Amino acid sequence: MERLIEYFKPSHYDIILSVDRHAGKAIGYVKISGEPKQGTIKLHAKDLTIDRVKLRGEIVKFTHKDEVLEIPYFPELETAVVEVNYHFDLNTNMEGAYLSSYEYEGQEETLVSTQFESHYAREAFPSVDEPAAKATFALTLEVPDAEDVVISNMPIKKTTSLDSGKRVEFETTPKMSTYLLAFCIGRFQKLTAKNLNGVEITTYCTMNHSVESVKFANDIAGQCLDYYDHLFGTKYPLKKLDQIAIPDFEAGAMENWGLVTYREACLLVDKTTTISERQYVATVVAHELSHQWFGNLVTMEWWNNLWLNESFANIMEYIAVDALHPEYNIWRDYYTTICRAALSRDALPGIQAVQQDVDDPAEIAALFDGAIVYAKGSRLMLMLIRLMGNKAFFSGIKDYFKRYAYGNTTGDDLWSSLQPYAKFDVKEFMDAWISQPGYPVYTDGSQQRFLLTGDTDETKWPLPEVKDDMSGHYLINLSGDEFQDALNNFSRLSLEQKIRLLLDRSLLAKTSLVSSASLLELLPKFENEESYAIWCILTNIISDLKVFFPYKDKDRPKFKQYVDNLIQTQLSRLGIEPRPGEPEEDTKVRSIILGLAYYAEDGPALDALEDLYESDYARLNPEIRLDIFLATLERSKESVFDEYLANYTTTSEPEIKDDLLFAMTDAKTHTKELIGLLDEPKIVKPQDHGYLFGFLVRNHFTKDEAKAWLFSHWSYVEEMMGDKSVDLYPRYLANVVRTKEEAEEFSDFFSPLAERNSAITRIVALAKAEIDSRLRLLAMDDKDVHKKLEGIRRNTR
């Protein structure tokens, strides 16, 4: 891939943008100062109409094709100043500078937001849109509405009234990468506070939310900045930090320096928010604010080192939240979700390494694999932290920030900063884990690569000690006697040891190393467990076993009865409704148990939940709201479907909206309406479209129609989703492939697409590997699982 920094290295941008959110248009001017390196200056410019280019104040000729603006320059120049006038339309696909909308007081409100990571700044201004091309930015925005809130990375320097609207000039940014520039324009409300270092922290939401909904995130932000200031030994360098919830947002959040943007569900907290969601918001804020150091202050040289940003942010969100709020017990969520995700995905052949080369711009989006760069990378950081010790590790991190502030780095720069505080060769140890895909399974002290296909290879990993806690990224294959001994002493194990024991067993059962049928005997041993973490893993095991009992399988009712028997002890202990003052652990376990009760069609539980239903959704207990929605849909023979859809369309509460979408898509008799939602971006926003599709293909009654819709609307999906979320569709469809015929259909459709669209090349290859491993597992274990279930039923009569 051609690097444009090899032609021109910018040092400063002056940008003036006149943005009309009502017309959906922008007129731009950029003046770039920098160092020319070859006989042509090249700038990234995508979907921009270039009106005029000047060099040294004189109009010059240029060419603009394939997203690159080429400008000849005079060889004798040691520095160059390039000026470009251009214009463009604001898009709606959540990339570059884009329009977002919501309903307020019966009217549609629009706003403008930005998403420049990874390579979308080029859609708003000509630039060298590469992380190593750091520069300073002086941004000026002109808007036609004088009352609009206009914010960017830096504090406002000056506001000037215009004949129509206003001009807002911002202070110049520190030296930073293009993907970190950001701005938002529209009507917002806010809360403001200051942290111990005097940084002004302001959190914004749109007009259709209560301003109190941003208080929790604003408070957490202040706590995080104080914590990181101390831990990293370098204070947050900006005067202010803004956070803002955007109605249309592709990811969860984006760490723009000084202006962090969020999906509404990842920032807003009110009385409709569950305990789990409140804690999730805390981790998202902690993640994004750690990026103000990891990624913003010190930035990876190129996207192959994306893990320097994301792996660290992923582990720091848990370190920070645990330090600030130990009552959350947040590490149990890390072990049961993040660690499981990393182990599951990293066991596929063809999976990328944490550090992965990038040869095409569209491939950059594929790097943002939550299970690898985020989850696995963070596990490797945790392993390193525990090997070095907290004090030694963060002493090295302090040196890292002091040495490389405002610069770019590679993994070797990090290892060299940590080395003085380690008693082993950090680079040698970590390179083996970062640069190699996969992980080992240990059997009788020896290791081999673990793959869900049952294969292996010669890959080896260094590890000083194999521990049975959650420190290391590996599996331990206990013998039958060792496993039984661990079960007999289960109550004496630490929480990490318990999680390791069950998590490892569940993954080993996806291969010939452990029989899937044995899991049916294992689960009842834990029916008296009251631990949320343990029930998270038990639920995952049950989900894995569901693959053997598809909708028309004759033993599916028997398996549902098995699940129902399994949950009765906890259902009786906890009851249906949360009790005042009950332990948080019980509240979270109840949510799992009621979800299993719905799957098992537990009549008394569903009846009790239906009795709690009322049309004022704000009055429903948020901890069991989804369970009430699901039970009421089923018990009412779906008579509430239209009411759900109407409320989904009008409510502004993100959690209620998510619950309604999940419940509606489980309907059995409203296929036409549900499939129709795939064509209704005004009802189901593009940010949620991938989830809608995933829910529909998971539902037996809508699966075939949803799949047919995708096959006939792929161009529509590509245009709507861009290259960053389009991979959701093959991923979700692969999750529900159960037969050889479905596998061939999947391959026939996606293989040609993967050849021409590099944004899905890797995900399609992984999806095929996942499908192959599932079909192999079914062929190997299906009969034994059904036989074992029948044996358990006979023994329990």
Side-chain angles (χ1 to χ4, degrees):
M1 185 194 310
E2 186 176 48
R3 307 281 179 86
L4 301 197
I5 195 173
E6 296 174 358
Y7 294 86
F8 181 58
K9 185 178 180 181
S11 59
H12 178 74
Y13 291 80
D14 286 300
I15 304 170
I16 302 174
L17 282 173
S18 179
V19 182
D20 188 336
R21 62 184 174 90
H22 305 293
K25 295 184 179 296
I27 300 171
Y29 164 82
V30 62
K31 181 169 72 173
I32 313 172
S33 304
E35 176 189 355
K37 293 176 172 290
Q38 297 187 32
T40 301
I41 292 173
K42 294 188 178 184
L43 302 174
H44 294 105
K46 181 183 179 183
D47 298 333
L48 306 178
T49 299
I50 307 300
D51 299 315
R52 185 177 65 183
V53 176
K54 286 184 178 181
L55 188 63
R56 287 203 305 189
E58 297 180 1
I59 297 175
V60 296
K61 294 181 180 180
F62 61 88
T63 60
H64 184 203
K65 62 179 181 178
D66 299 328
E67 301 181 19
V68 175
L69 175 62
E70 294 192 23
I71 309 157
Y73 85 100
F74 302 100
E76 69 272 14
L77 293 178
E78 293 183 4
T79 60
V81 178
V82 181
E83 299 174 78
V84 184
N85 293 84
Y86 63 99
H87 63 276
F88 64 97
D89 292 336
L90 300 170
N91 68 65
T92 57
N93 65 1
M94 299 173 289
E95 295 175 359
Y98 69 92
L99 289 169
S100 177
S101 63
Y102 64 97
E103 188 171 298
Y104 176 60
E105 295 183 343
Q107 301 291 324
E108 183 181 63
E109 284 282 337
T110 60
L111 60 92
V112 177
S113 187
T114 58
Q115 174 62 41
F116 291 162
E117 191 183 29
S118 53
H119 55 294
Y120 310 122
R122 64 193 66 180
E123 298 180 23
F125 59 99
S127 56
V128 179
D129 195 12
E130 299 167 358
K134 284 194 167 186
T136 55
F137 298 82
L139 176 66
T140 297
L141 295 173
E142 296 176 348
V143 298
D145 297 302
E147 70 275 12
D148 273 357
V149 173
V150 182
I151 54 177
S152 185
N153 307 74
M154 302 300 290
I156 293 174
K157 178 180 179 180
K158 181 181 178 182
T159 300
T160 306
S161 295
L162 303 175
D163 290 341
S164 176
K166 63 183 177 181
R167 177 187 294 118
V168 181
E169 299 176 44
F170 296 94
E171 294 180 10
T172 301
T173 71
K175 189 178 178 183
M176 68 183 196
S177 302
T178 49
Y179 78 85
L180 293 172
L181 191 67
F183 57 85
C184 296
I185 302 166
R187 299 177 64 197
F188 305 106
Q189 46 192 336
K190 65 180 182 179
L191 284 181
T192 299
K194 287 188 177 182
N195 79 334
L196 297 178
N197 198 32
V199 175
E200 188 172 272
I201 301 166
T202 305
T203 305
Y204 296 83
C205 65
T206 51
M207 304 303 294
N208 59 337
H209 294 286
S210 165
V211 71
E212 290 301 313
S213 65
V214 303
K215 185 178 187 308
F216 176 78
N218 207 63
D219 291 344
I220 288 288
Q223 295 167 18
C224 285
L225 286 189
D226 291 337
Y227 178 73
Y228 292 144
D229 280 347
H230 174 74
L231 185 66
F232 298 152
T234 297
K235 292 186 183 300
Y236 175 76
L238 306 187
K239 299 175 185 177
K240 62 95 174 173
L241 170 74
D242 292 341
Q243 303 184 114
I244 186 166
I246 304 298
D248 299 275
F249 200 83
E250 184 272 336
M254 175 60 209
E255 65 268 18
N256 315 298
W257 213 353
L259 174 55
V260 185
T261 47
Y262 294 81
R263 180 182 285 240
E264 289 181 333
C266 297
L267 189 72
L268 306 181
V269 170
D270 60 18
K271 63 182 181 181
T272 69
T273 306
T274 64
I275 291 172
S276 293
E277 280 297 315
R278 179 182 294 264
Q279 294 174 358
Y280 173 66
V281 167
T283 62
V284 175
V285 172
H287 179 109
E288 300 309 321
L289 298 198
S290 74
H291 272 312
Q292 307 302 300
W293 287 262
F294 289 107
N296 299 7
L297 182 66
V298 182
T299 312
M300 72 266 158
E301 182 79 19
W302 182 245
W303 296 107
N304 60 327
N305 279 295
L306 176 65
W307 62 271
L308 281 171
N309 292 14
E310 298 301 347
S311 300
F312 272 99
N314 197 244
I315 196 62
M316 284 311 309
E317 67 185 82
Y318 290 93
I319 291 173
V321 170
D322 181 61
L324 297 171
H325 292 281
E327 73 277 11
Y328 287 0
N329 295 310
I330 204 69
W331 283 112
R332 67 186 174 187
D333 296 307
Y334 179 80
Y335 300 138
T336 57
T337 57
I338 302 299
C339 293
R340 177 182 167 83
L343 289 166
S344 297
R345 194 152 181 80
D346 204 26
L348 292 171
I351 190 67
Q352 68 193 61
V354 172
Q355 180 168 300
Q356 183 72 37
D357 289 339
V358 181
D359 299 317
D360 183 276
E363 285 186 349
I364 297 172
L367 287 178
F368 288 80
D369 188 323
I372 301 299
V373 171
Y374 292 71
K376 178 185 178 180
S378 71
R379 285 209 79 193
L380 301 184
M381 292 305 108
L382 177 63
M383 182 166 63
L384 181 59
I385 290 169
R386 289 189 173 182
L387 283 172
M388 291 184 63
N390 273 4
K391 183 177 180 181
F393 179 83
F394 284 107
S395 293
I397 292 300
K398 289 177 181 178
D399 289 353
Y400 178 71
F401 287 131
K402 285 183 174 66
R403 186 177 305 167
Y404 297 110
Y406 305 104
N408 295 89
T409 60
T410 65
D412 286 351
D413 298 318
L414 176 63
W415 308 146
S416 66
S417 296
L418 294 172
Q419 188 57 58
Y421 304 95
K423 297 178 180 179
F424 57 94
D425 191 319
V426 176
K427 174 177 167 54
E428 181 181 4
F429 178 78
M430 289 303 294
D431 277 354
W433 288 94
I434 291 289
S435 62
Q436 296 186 129
Y439 59 87
V441 54
Y442 285 88
T443 305
D444 295 328
S446 63
Q447 63 164 282
Q448 64 178 18
R449 183 177 179 183
F450 179 78
L451 290 166
L452 291 179
T453 55
D455 302 320
T456 190
D457 58 32
E458 298 303 315
T459 310
K460 300 295 180 184
W461 294 265
L463 195 66
E465 181 183 4
V466 179
K467 302 178 69 174
D468 65 351
D469 60 11
M470 292 300 293
S471 296
H473 187 59
Y474 50 76
L475 301 180
I476 302 174
N477 181 24
L478 299 176
S479 68
D481 289 342
E482 289 172 329
F483 185 70
Q484 189 58 51
D485 183 61
L487 287 180
N488 293 340
N489 293 280
F490 195 76
S491 62
R492 299 189 185 97
L493 301 180
S494 70
L495 178 61
E496 286 192 38
Q497 289 174 316
K498 291 177 179 179
I499 293 172
R500 158 73 70 183
L501 183 70
L502 293 176
L503 189 55
D504 286 10
R505 201 69 173 179
S506 69
L507 285 160
L508 292 168
K510 293 177 179 289
T511 71
S512 60
L513 294 173
V514 170
S515 165
S516 298
S518 68
L519 298 177
L520 288 168
E521 289 185 320
L522 178 65
L523 290 174
K525 298 180 186 296
F526 301 96
E527 60 187 8
N528 293 319
E529 269 290 335
E530 299 179 4
S531 163
Y532 169 70
I534 299 304
W535 272 103
C536 282
I537 301 176
L538 298 180
T539 303
N540 288 329
I541 293 174
I542 291 169
S543 295
D544 290 341
L545 288 169
K546 288 178 183 178
V547 73
F548 297 102
F549 304 98
Y551 185 78
K552 293 184 178 180
D553 188 276
K554 63 181 180 63
D555 287 337
R556 182 180 172 91
K558 299 174 185 176
F559 180 66
K560 288 191 172 188
Q561 185 59 56
Y562 166 87
V563 173
D564 201 36
N565 293 339
L566 187 67
I567 65 174
Q568 288 307 309
T569 298
Q570 297 308 312
L571 196 55
S572 176
R573 179 179 74 87
L574 296 169
I576 300 297
E577 296 186 78
R579 303 182 180 101
E582 72 177 9
E584 181 184 295
E585 190 91 355
D586 284 353
T587 304
K588 289 189 163 188
V589 172
R590 179 186 292 103
S591 178
I592 291 175
I593 297 300
L594 291 180
L596 293 173
Y598 175 74
Y599 170 77
E601 300 179 34
D602 184 291
L606 297 185
D607 289 341
L609 286 165
E610 184 192 19
D611 288 342
L612 296 173
Y613 179 76
E614 54 182 295
S615 296
D616 183 357
Y617 297 160
R619 292 173 56 87
L620 299 177
N621 189 308
E623 304 296 342
I624 59 172
R625 181 179 56 228
L626 174 59
D627 307 294
I628 293 172
F629 286 161
L630 287 166
T632 304
L633 184 74
E634 194 274 336
R635 297 318 250 188
S636 72
K637 295 183 172 55
E638 302 185 9
S639 65
V640 292
F641 181 90
D642 289 342
E643 185 176 340
Y644 285 4
L645 181 56
N647 278 279
Y648 177 84
T649 304
T650 58
T651 185
S652 62
E653 299 298 335
E655 268 206 83
I656 292 178
K657 212 171 185 71
D658 289 347
D659 286 352
L660 285 170
L661 186 63
F662 189 93
M664 284 191 300
T665 52
D666 210 44
K668 299 177 177 65
T669 63
H670 288 79
T671 298
K672 182 178 180 181
E673 294 94 324
L674 289 171
I675 298 301
L677 291 177
L678 291 166
D679 290 308
E680 292 288 353
K682 289 290 187 181
I683 298 177
V684 179
K685 287 176 172 286
Q687 68 171 10
D688 299 317
H689 193 272
Y691 304 126
L692 169 63
F693 175 77
F695 294 157
L696 292 178
V697 292
R698 146 211 96 169
N699 181 344
H700 170 78
F701 296 93
T702 54
K703 175 181 174 181
D704 289 342
E705 287 82 356
K707 182 168 54 177
W709 182 92
L710 181 69
F711 289 174
S712 63
H713 290 74
W714 181 253
S715 296
Y716 170 80
V717 169
E718 284 186 312
E719 182 180 354
M720 174 175 59
M721 304 307 294
D723 62 13
K724 200 168 184 183
S725 291
V726 71
D727 66 338
L728 291 176
Y729 297 84
R731 181 180 296 186
Y732 288 150
L733 185 56
N735 286 342
V736 298
V737 171
R738 298 288 185 271
T739 67
K740 182 180 178 181
E741 293 72 25
E742 288 179 333
E744 291 174 350
E745 183 183 41
F746 180 93
S747 181
D748 289 345
F749 180 73
F750 279 110
S751 293
L753 295 175
E755 290 180 4
R756 68 170 177 78
N757 185 349
S758 56
I760 63 169
T761 301
R762 187 174 290 131
I763 193 68
V764 169
L766 290 175
K768 290 179 182 179
E770 179 186 352
I771 290 168
D772 289 345
S773 66
R774 185 182 305 119
L775 296 182
R776 181 202 56 79
L777 180 66
L778 285 168
M780 180 173 62
D781 283 0
D782 188 66
K783 289 183 180 179
D784 288 343
V785 168
H786 283 76
K787 183 178 179 181
K788 179 64 70 174
L789 179 64
E790 184 58 33
I792 291 173
R793 288 184 71 251
R794 285 198 300 266
N795 293 334
T796 55
R797 286 173 182 167

